[in-house]
Amino acid sequence: MTAESPAVAQRTADRIALLRDKQEAAHASGGPEGLRRHRESGRLPVRERIDMLVDPESWFEIGALALPELRRAKPIPGDAVVTGFGLLDGRRVGVIGIDSSVVAGTTAPISMRKQGRLIEHAQRHGFPLVLLCDADGGRMPDVSGWRFSGLPLDFTTFLKPPPGEPVVPRVAAVLGPSYGDSALHASTAHYVVMVRSGSIALSGPSVVEPAIGEKVSDDELGGPAAATEAGNAHLVVDTEADAMDAVAAFLSYLPQNSTLPPPVAPPLPPQRDPGDLADIVPLGARAGYDMRDVFACIADAASILPWADGWGASLLCALARIEGRVVGLVGNQPIVRAGALDPAALAKEAAFVRLCDTFGVPLVFLHDVPGLMIGTQAERGGILRGYEVLVSAIAEATVPKVGVVLRKAYGGGHFAMGGRPTKPDFLYAWPSAELGFMAPETGIRTIHRRRLEKVLAEQGPEAHAALVAELTAEWVSEAEPWEAAAHLSLDDVIEPAATRHVIATSIDITLGGRA
């Protein structure tokens, strides 16, 4: 073998030096001035965000040398996006980080191609995708005219996996104004966390005002209050570090992809004594309490991750662990409209049920529901359609489903919480439970209206009140759990203190020894 000549060696060294120069330029982002302005806005540079997210020395970048198709006098390193792979708590993830320190992180064909390739890798090889959103929509003139139609955007992979391929968890962190494809990324995510200074919307204020004449701020358009109410964000945090912690926490409950079981952790005792449940939940059907206190008596300590508390607030959803196993907790929230389910709560629950069913997470339903919201606002909000979508999703879910009626489960609300017609694996009730088509006070006045009106007219208020009391007692007697258990509409009536143990054992039985 002949030795390389000095001239060839020099040419190789020159090429390596050129590569290093290009790599340095690619890592320059918006340059000193762009990075200064970016930091002054309270935001971190994209590579610092990535370093904060992934395990040390695990980052593996691809596409760093990408440049825009339409060249400009000022460079746009990486075409304003950073893509690559890293380890998060020892598990592989793919990361797309928008670099908003240069051209506001705007989207162009090359940046779309970079993002698409990273998404394809994550889906083809079966690991989660983390999306760091901070962009101001499409870049002009790069996406103007015919170029927009020709964007390298494959919706079969950008929005969801191709048919037959496993689903991978997607998590989005909204770390600044996020419009255009950053908003679209977030819409595909199973979990969206945003910082309080962030915003998310299809188009930003600079497009909204000239298009429709509405002058609006980032916060008014898509800030935390607007985003959570619309269901576009599941959690709001104070800092970018908090956002990265939330991303890691969410992924810790899910498998790498939908073909694998959720990870199991060492079991821990609950935060609160399950014996407190009888005191937490008052007997009176109208008395309020916080369902989060019930969650704390059932789930392992420090394991509860709320999912979209600001959306459909009369229903709580959370990922948690019971005896180390991941579960999805679904519970009515009596301190918000008595726990009645409105269209937003139905949509929220349906999305959460699909999430859990996709990734093999058992569902636990804690019923304390007076029914579905009624009236013009609920009807115009699409409550009928939302109800049908939800009960179908619950019935079709193949993960273990365990329900416990704590206090009341009336009408369609009972079915929307995994009642017997939706085929739960196990359904239990506390001795305090009431089940039926309607609450007593509504039912007797609906069914016995004419009789009550006649007694009031002919015999007076005292006779009317006595009849109301008699009919109410009969209604309550039929609603108590004993007849339901006798006819196997319930699998058992249990003491409140036994709830955690009963749920854990039921899930263990349903899984049949699987992890």
Side-chain angles (χ1 to χ4, degrees):
M1 180 180 295
T2 57
E4 189 178 62
S5 69
V8 171
Q10 183 59 47
R11 286 198 299 271
T12 301
D14 290 343
R15 291 291 177 173
I16 292 173
L18 178 60
L19 168 63
R20 291 174 178 172
D21 288 342
K22 289 181 176 293
Q23 289 174 330
E24 183 178 356
H27 284 235
S29 292
E33 181 61 22
L35 288 171
R36 182 189 64 78
R37 290 195 303 268
H38 187 72
R39 287 186 185 278
E40 287 178 351
S41 73
R43 293 176 287 172
L44 293 175
V46 63
R47 284 189 168 79
E48 289 187 24
R49 290 169 169 169
I50 292 170
D51 288 343
M52 189 185 299
L53 174 71
V54 302
D55 296 349
E57 300 182 4
S58 71
W59 179 241
F60 186 86
E61 187 170 345
I62 60 171
L65 301 185
L67 293 171
E69 289 180 346
L70 299 182
R71 302 301 173 90
R72 285 174 165 77
K74 186 176 180 180
I76 304 177
D79 207 25
V81 64
V82 176
T83 56
F85 315 92
L87 299 179
L88 179 53
D89 294 332
R91 299 197 300 171
R92 181 72 63 197
V93 296
V95 181
I96 294 173
I98 305 300
D99 187 354
S100 55
S101 73
V102 54
V103 293
T106 48
T107 300
I110 294 299
S111 65
M112 291 299 300
R113 188 169 292 122
K114 280 182 67 173
Q115 294 175 55
R117 282 190 50 77
L118 198 285
I119 292 169
E120 287 175 7
H121 275 295
Q123 292 184 162
R124 183 182 306 139
H125 306 303
F127 50 79
L129 183 63
V130 179
L131 311 158
L132 305 181
C133 304
D134 186 0
D136 198 20
R139 188 187 312 154
M140 300 297 178
D142 304 59
V143 298
S144 63
W146 65 267
R147 297 182 185 89
F148 181 76
S149 179
L151 280 173
L153 180 60
D154 185 353
F155 279 120
T156 61
T157 56
F158 191 88
L159 296 180
K160 60 183 181 179
E165 290 195 9
V167 180
V168 301
R170 293 192 184 204
V171 192
V174 176
L175 305 172
S178 297
Y179 307 121
D181 70 298
S182 264
L184 188 57
H185 271 318
S187 75
T188 72
H190 299 102
Y191 194 70
V192 179
V193 56
M194 69 184 301
V195 295
R196 296 194 186 279
S197 57
S199 58
I200 178 172
L202 183 61
S203 296
S206 62
V207 174
V208 170
E209 184 176 2
I212 63 172
E214 181 182 4
K215 187 174 180 61
V216 65
S217 68
D218 289 310
D219 186 66
E220 292 168 334
L221 182 64
T228 53
E229 182 180 351
N232 292 330
H234 300 95
L235 182 69
V236 178
V237 297
D238 293 324
T239 69
E240 294 194 15
D242 294 334
M244 301 309 168
D245 288 343
V247 169
F250 176 75
L251 290 178
S252 73
Y253 292 93
L254 299 187
Q256 288 291 85
N257 60 71
S258 60
T259 67
L260 300 172
V264 178
L268 294 172
Q271 179 181 337
R272 292 190 60 170
D273 185 349
D276 292 345
L277 284 169
D279 297 323
I280 289 171
V281 181
L283 276 178
R286 292 179 176 273
Y289 66 93
D290 195 333
M291 182 60 74
R292 285 171 289 204
D293 293 332
V294 176
F295 284 6
C297 294
I298 292 173
D300 292 4
S303 76
I304 299 173
L305 180 67
W307 194 88
D309 275 2
W311 177 35
S314 63
L315 180 91
L316 296 181
C317 298
L319 290 171
R321 290 185 174 85
I322 298 178
E323 297 291 352
R325 276 203 174 109
V326 179
V327 299
L329 298 177
V330 181
N332 306 105
Q333 177 56 299
I335 59 176
V336 179
R337 293 187 295 279
L341 298 171
D342 60 10
L346 296 178
K348 167 182 169 178
E349 185 180 355
F352 188 70
V353 167
R354 286 192 294 268
L355 167 71
C356 292
D357 192 43
T358 296
F359 294 108
V361 175
L363 284 158
V364 177
F365 297 93
L366 301 172
H367 305 225
D368 193 349
V369 58
L372 305 178
M373 289 293 291
I374 57 176
T376 55
Q377 186 174 355
E379 296 299 337
R380 291 171 182 171
I383 197 159
L384 281 174
R385 175 61 178 163
Y387 176 63
E388 184 274 329
V389 168
L390 171 60
V391 294
S392 295
I394 297 172
E396 293 166 5
T398 59
V399 293
K401 295 174 286 188
V402 180
V404 183
V405 182
L406 309 187
R407 194 169 60 166
K408 59 185 181 295
Y410 289 124
H414 178 45
F415 299 161
M417 290 295 295
R420 183 61 74 191
T422 63
K423 304 177 183 178
D425 294 282
F426 291 98
L427 183 60
Y428 305 98
W430 288 2
S432 54
E434 297 177 6
L435 302 95
F437 177 64
M438 287 183 180
E441 58 272 17
T442 304
I444 62 171
R445 284 172 169 79
T446 301
I447 295 174
H448 301 289
R449 178 175 58 84
R450 292 182 179 178
R451 181 182 175 189
L452 288 167
E453 288 174 351
K454 182 178 180 181
V455 167
L456 180 62
E458 296 178 356
Q459 302 178 38
E462 290 187 8
H464 178 270
L467 181 57
V468 168
E470 177 187 341
L471 294 173
T472 300
E474 291 175 0
W475 193 287
V476 170
S477 177
E478 289 186 357
E480 289 178 342
W482 317 116
E483 286 295 313
H487 291 85
L488 298 182
S489 289
L490 295 171
D491 290 296
D492 203 358
V493 180
I494 64 173
E495 294 187 19
T499 303
R500 171 181 158 91
H501 170 72
V502 167
I503 291 171
T505 304
S506 298
I507 291 173
D508 188 63
I509 292 168
T510 306
L511 288 172
R514 290 174 286 150

